Amino acid sequence: MRRRDIAAIACALLAAGCMVGPDYHKPKAPLPPAYPGAPRAGAADPAALESWWTLFHDDELDSLIGRALRNNRDIKAAVSRLRQARAEREVAAGALLPELDATAGLNRALGSRNVQLPLSSLAGSGGGQSGSGSKAPSAQGGPQPAAATASAPAPVPAAPLGGPQSPFGDGGLPGVTTNLYQAGFDAVWEIDVFGGQRRAVEAAQAEVAAAADAGYGTRISLLAEVAASYLQVRMAQERGDVARRSIEAQKGLLRIAREQFDAGLGDEVAVAQDAAQLSLDETQLAPLQLSARLSEHVLALLLAEDPASVEAELSRRAALPVLPADLPVDVPSDLLRRRPDVRQAERQLAAANAQIGVAAAQLYPQFSITGLLGIDSSDLKHLPEWSSRYYSLAPGISWPILDWSRLHAAVRVQNEMEEQALLAYQTSVAQALKDVEDALVQYEEDRSRHAGLADAVAQARRAFQVTRQIHEQGLADQTATLVAQRAVDQAEDGLAQSEVGLRLDLVALYKALGGGWRALP
């Protein structure tokens, strides 16, 4: 078969678009019509979910999240990984195109005078001294020097760059200096007849999408971590205020107990009990302060800022963020389009599917075309002449014979990797549903508990007001008033924890729903 026939067959096969390996079809995920734990089905506003933190109407939280999105190192690393995946896709796509290299060079050689050659070699060299006499075309199409004189052996020009070596060694003929000027191009094209390279591009494209979704996941997690850490700071500050009021009330009780003991109306046991309770109350401040400091340090890390500046900024007291009235619950099918971990797992499944075709293509013949075009001459002034040209065109076919078992095993490996990717995708879907249902159930339970704590606070405040009125009328001593105040403080401490707990539940719900994702640069 002639070379042009082989090339024609290869081009026809490539034009036919033959691609081995299975075509990808997105798997269907069985989803319930609604979340089992949803208290009420409300339509989630996509715009609200994208910027869910603004629903809390807290300027400080908005500022923290904005700076985190600009400065966070994990976000920057995710963007870098996305750029890397895009570059790797270009590398894979480049394999579909021919490789073309330009070469140029000068080869100056001197043969050893101590080498003796038979006359037949000299006669067959067809050379003369470099740069003199008439020229004859070389094996590569370049000019050759005329026949050498009897006193000077004829040189043999060095082979072109990348060509065959001279039969007389790298130095040429004995005692002869030769020059060879050369310039040209060489190209190699591996024709993707069976689609192995196209499957590789398909896999690389899926990896780009997976890297983008991983970046979305990093963004969503960052938003939730910033909001949760900020709420932890505000909760520690709120509980600290309650603890200080409780300490002041306990100091009042201890003072009354001591006054009664000094007046002979009380006993030392009551004084010791009140003093012990005061010491216990005072120990509650340190853990709350530590909690606030640690949460501020987390924020500083997320914002890539100095911890001292974050501490100074958050030392200014503020009320808890407003609690949104409605839950952003939507149908489960929307979750698959928004959750980045689910989307990432699906794209990784697509990449694993394409890799099967990459492995399967190795079982089939590989077609390639290698070409060489250039000019060479022993004299620089003759280098541009038409007679200095040389070229080579070599179509080729390679087909594995004895290593089919290894290649078939490689295909089986990719099949198993696709199976694992499918299971990972199914797990990610189930995990996404679980996260949403858990967040909904937790929110409903905490809301019910919050209602009870709010009622307890209202009752404790009512008892305190009545006790204070009785004390002001002189019908009771101050002890009853201080005890009622402590009851209010304890109830308010539980309510403060519940208030923040509800907001943390909403943050977890927004995260579970995939709220806050946005395309990376």
Side-chain angles (χ1 to χ4, degrees):
M1 183 179 293
R2 292 176 296 179
R3 291 181 176 179
R4 64 182 181 183
D5 295 332
I6 296 175
I9 293 174
C11 292
L13 289 173
L14 181 61
C18 176
M19 292 181 67
V20 298
D23 292 330
Y24 177 71
H25 300 284
K26 184 178 180 179
K28 294 183 178 180
L31 296 172
Y35 297 108
R40 55 182 180 274
D45 182 5
L49 279 176
E50 185 176 328
S51 303
W52 55 261
W53 60 91
T54 60
L55 300 177
F56 289 105
H57 301 288
D58 190 299
D59 293 338
E60 183 64 38
L61 177 60
D62 295 344
S63 174
L64 293 173
I65 284 182
R67 284 143 55 193
L69 292 175
R70 290 192 300 271
N71 303 327
N72 182 261
R73 299 181 184 91
D74 290 336
I75 291 290
K76 293 179 179 179
V79 174
S80 176
R81 286 190 292 270
L82 177 57
R83 291 196 298 262
Q84 174 187 342
R86 288 169 177 168
E88 290 172 348
R89 176 187 58 191
E90 294 179 9
V91 171
L96 293 170
L97 303 175
E99 296 181 14
L100 179 63
D101 298 323
T103 59
L106 166 64
N107 188 346
R108 181 175 179 84
L110 171 65
S112 171
R113 294 182 179 274
N114 294 327
V115 175
Q116 295 183 358
L117 302 175
L119 293 177
S120 59
S121 298
L122 295 176
S125 65
Q129 209 166 16
S130 175
S132 63
S134 62
K135 306 295 187 295
S138 67
Q140 294 81 19
Q144 290 291 339
T149 62
S151 59
V156 175
L161 296 178
Q165 294 293 323
S166 167
F168 308 114
D170 293 338
L173 287 177
V176 178
T177 300
T178 60
N179 293 327
L180 181 64
Y181 300 93
Q182 192 172 49
F185 299 92
D186 60 85
V188 178
W189 184 25
E190 183 175 337
I191 306 173
D192 189 34
V193 176
F194 296 99
Q197 294 294 341
R198 280 170 285 164
R199 290 296 189 191
V201 174
E202 182 181 326
Q205 179 60 39
E207 291 293 350
V208 170
D213 288 322
Y216 304 154
T218 301
R219 189 179 194 275
I220 289 174
S221 297
L222 172 66
L223 296 174
E225 288 184 56
V226 171
S229 298
Y230 174 70
L231 289 172
Q232 292 286 357
V233 172
R234 292 307 187 204
M235 180 177 69
Q237 293 174 342
E238 186 76 16
R239 293 187 63 198
D241 291 342
V242 173
R244 292 182 185 91
R245 290 197 300 269
S246 181
I247 289 172
E248 291 303 319
Q250 185 60 36
K251 286 181 178 179
L253 289 174
L254 178 58
R255 184 179 64 255
I256 293 174
R258 284 174 175 169
E259 290 175 353
Q260 291 176 344
F261 177 73
D262 293 340
L265 301 176
D267 55 36
E268 190 174 359
V269 174
V271 174
Q273 289 176 341
D274 286 339
Q277 185 61 52
L278 176 60
S279 297
L280 288 175
D281 290 346
E282 290 175 339
T283 60
Q284 300 300 315
L285 279 177
L288 294 175
Q289 293 171 350
L290 175 62
S291 175
R293 291 286 298 276
L294 294 180
S295 297
E296 289 165 352
H297 294 170
V298 172
L299 283 172
L301 177 63
L302 297 176
L303 273 62
E305 295 182 2
D306 179 50
S309 64
V310 175
E311 290 178 13
E313 177 182 351
L314 296 182
S315 64
R316 298 186 294 271
R317 292 300 312 278
L320 288 175
V322 176
L323 190 66
D326 297 326
L327 291 181
V329 183
D330 55 9
V331 294
S333 59
D334 291 339
L335 185 68
L336 304 187
R337 293 192 293 269
R338 193 169 51 243
R339 278 275 295 223
D341 55 339
V342 175
R343 292 154 52 97
Q344 180 184 3
E346 187 273 328
R347 287 291 82 200
Q348 289 173 337
L349 173 60
N353 178 270
Q355 289 294 344
I356 297 175
V358 175
Q362 300 301 313
L363 296 168
Y364 297 87
Q366 308 294 316
F367 297 87
S368 64
I369 299 176
T370 302
L372 183 66
L373 174 65
I375 53 176
D376 62 9
S377 174
S378 296
D379 196 330
L380 183 60
K381 68 180 180 180
H382 296 293
L383 187 64
E385 295 180 0
W386 180 251
S387 58
S388 298
R389 76 190 186 282
Y390 63 87
Y391 69 89
S392 172
L393 183 64
I397 301 177
S398 64
W399 197 350
I401 301 297
L402 297 180
D403 57 348
W404 269 35
S405 60
R406 179 183 64 83
L407 297 177
H408 276 288
V411 174
R412 294 198 302 272
V413 167
Q414 295 300 327
N415 281 326
E416 295 303 325
M417 294 182 68
E418 184 198 31
E419 178 66 19
Q420 296 166 26
L422 175 60
L423 294 172
Y425 170 72
Q426 294 170 345
T427 300
S428 67
V429 173
Q431 183 65 48
L433 293 173
K434 176 183 178 297
D435 291 344
V436 175
E437 292 169 6
D438 287 351
L440 288 170
V441 171
Q442 185 69 44
Y443 180 80
E444 282 301 298
E445 291 296 326
D446 286 348
R447 190 169 66 168
S448 176
R449 180 173 177 270
H450 178 269
L453 288 171
D455 183 65
V457 169
Q459 295 298 330
R461 288 175 177 171
R462 175 60 181 165
F464 171 73
Q465 291 174 355
V466 172
T467 304
R468 187 174 60 179
Q469 290 174 358
I470 294 175
H471 171 67
E472 290 174 352
Q473 294 172 2
L475 301 178
D477 59 14
Q478 191 177 4
T479 302
T481 304
L482 293 175
V483 170
Q485 178 64 56
R486 279 187 55 81
V488 172
D489 294 337
Q490 291 174 353
E492 287 182 344
D493 182 67
L495 183 62
Q497 295 181 62
S498 179
E499 290 277 2
V500 175
L502 283 175
R503 288 157 176 79
L504 290 174
D505 291 343
L506 274 182
V507 171
L509 179 58
Y510 287 127
K511 180 182 178 181
L513 290 170
W517 76 271
R518 185 181 297 175
L520 297 177

